[in-house]
Amino acid sequence: MRACMYCLRPYLLCLLVLAAGILLDSQASGQSTYTWSGSTTGIGNWFSTSNWSGVLTNRFPGVTNSASLDGNSSSDIAAITHSTFGGWAVGFDLSPASADGLLSLGAISIAANGSVFRDLTIGNLSPEAWMPSVLQLNGATISGVENTLLKVDNAKLIIRDQFQKNRSTTQIRLGVTNGAIQLVNNGVLAFQSQIVEQTAGSSLTFSGIGNAEFHKKNLFTGGVSNTGDIGFLLTHAEGFGSGTVQLGNHSTTTALSLLFPSTTTVTIANNFVLGTNTGGKATFSFALQQGFGTYGIQVEFTGTISGGAASQTYLLASTETAATNSAN
């Protein structure tokens, strides 16, 4: 009997090693939060594992196409909270020699730790316009909200390429069909990279109080919903993609501001459903970009506009006195 026990020991050891491996894999594949612990000056490297603390050490949040990088899971939450990240950035190299075109994770959550409003830029570090380069957000549960992609609290988050800037080539891909975005304490989210979808009909739902900016032609088709007090800024006629746009009740913010170069005619084809405008703010606010002169612009809404209160102000002329704006 003792000999049989000795014979079984190697097998028991193998089973223990296998169980430990399964446990580690389950920790890596589940939703985990990795908190930024690196420098808050200059440009921080997302892929440097020493910049993060989480369930498993020597990992960064998310996964890539490269087997040589130590990512954790495609469902991770990257949490960045600090009091000094004004003018600071966190970047990831999506070139073929590094992440090979992909960073995929659950969600990104940033917050300013203190009363001073802060801003942070996140995006591709590669100086070359590698295509396709994708930041994929797959959704996670944050503050009880499922499928959250981004949360911004008392801060401004700018998503764009670090070196390409206005020529941003990295795409933000929606990994869920019903992505949620939380803006808290007047948080601001600026999409300076193009938004695309993994599955046709994918949508974005905004909640909280804050502002969201759409600066590119976006290619998601499920529309945009606003269940909070969110003001939208549009600098591209197709910034909302091709779906219906639900404007919120906007008691403290202007529901939609349009910022285009002067002497242009802009056609916006989305259907709009208006909120109740409980605070008396205008539904649409037209403005001219600085430096483009004071000639008029014309904005045409070719989709349907429905909802809203009977006494609602639908159009607000530009504050540029020399501008002439019209809408159909």
Side-chain angles (χ1 to χ4, degrees):
M1 186 68 177
R2 182 177 299 174
C4 292
M5 289 298 296
Y6 283 127
C7 293
L8 288 173
R9 283 182 179 177
Y11 298 101
L12 291 173
L13 180 60
C14 290
L15 288 173
L16 289 173
V17 171
L18 179 61
I22 292 172
L23 177 61
L24 288 175
D25 285 342
S26 65
Q27 287 178 318
S29 61
Q31 176 179 310
S32 300
T33 298
Y34 278 76
T35 303
W36 181 265
S37 57
S39 172
T40 55
T41 60
I43 300 178
N45 185 356
W46 187 291
F47 295 147
S48 176
T49 58
S50 62
N51 286 332
W52 300 96
S53 59
V55 176
L56 298 178
T57 60
N58 300 318
R59 300 285 183 93
F60 59 79
V63 295
T64 71
N65 284 332
S66 173
S68 63
L69 293 175
D70 295 320
N72 184 60
S73 169
S74 60
S75 60
D76 288 333
I77 299 171
I80 303 175
T81 302
H82 214 276
S83 60
T84 60
F85 55 54
W88 168 57
V90 175
F92 34 80
D93 185 355
L94 298 182
S95 67
S98 182
D100 197 16
L102 176 69
L103 172 61
S104 177
L105 70 155
I108 300 172
S109 176
I110 76 163
N113 183 13
S115 60
V116 179
F117 192 86
R118 303 291 181 178
D119 65 271
L120 171 67
T121 301
I122 290 178
N124 187 6
L125 277 175
S126 174
E128 303 295 334
W130 300 106
M131 288 293 288
S133 294
V134 173
L135 169 63
Q136 178 162 323
L137 300 174
N138 302 306
T141 300
I142 300 178
S143 302
V145 181
E146 296 181 351
N147 295 322
T148 295
L149 307 179
L150 297 160
K151 181 181 179 182
V152 184
D153 185 349
N154 190 36
K156 180 175 183 177
L157 173 60
I158 304 167
I159 303 179
R160 73 178 187 195
D161 291 352
Q162 297 300 316
F163 294 103
Q164 298 294 322
K165 294 186 178 179
N166 291 332
R167 297 183 294 112
S168 181
T169 59
T170 300
Q171 296 175 326
I172 304 166
R173 186 161 65 200
L174 308 180
V176 291
T177 58
N178 54 341
I181 295 178
Q182 302 180 51
L183 302 181
V184 182
N185 294 321
N186 295 306
V188 178
L189 175 59
F191 290 110
Q192 294 186 14
S193 291
Q194 184 180 59
I195 305 171
V196 299
E197 59 189 7
Q198 180 170 264
T199 304
S202 295
S203 63
L204 291 175
T205 297
F206 289 79
S207 64
I209 300 176
N211 290 274
E213 305 173 3
F214 298 85
H215 295 283
K216 296 289 183 181
K217 175 182 178 178
N218 292 315
L219 302 178
F220 63 103
T221 58
V224 176
S225 295
N226 180 354
T227 63
D229 193 352
I230 308 297
F232 293 132
L233 170 65
L234 202 65
T235 65
H236 194 290
E238 297 177 77
F240 288 132
S242 58
T244 297
V245 180
Q246 168 71 61
L247 300 180
N249 294 331
H250 51 92
S251 61
T252 61
T253 60
T254 298
L256 176 60
S257 297
L258 307 176
L259 193 61
F260 297 103
S262 59
T263 66
T264 59
T265 298
V266 178
T267 300
I268 299 176
N270 302 84
N271 296 329
F272 286 88
V273 179
L274 307 183
T276 58
N277 194 14
T278 56
K281 292 290 184 178
T283 303
F284 300 109
S285 172
F286 297 157
L288 297 179
Q289 287 187 356
Q290 294 290 332
F292 282 86
T294 55
Y295 296 100
I297 61 172
Q298 177 170 309
V299 178
E300 299 180 351
F301 293 91
T302 59
T304 61
I305 299 178
S306 61
S311 60
Q312 187 164 345
T313 300
Y314 290 108
L315 302 177
L316 176 66
S318 168
T319 55
E320 299 279 354
T321 57
T324 57
N325 300 321
S326 64
N328 295 322

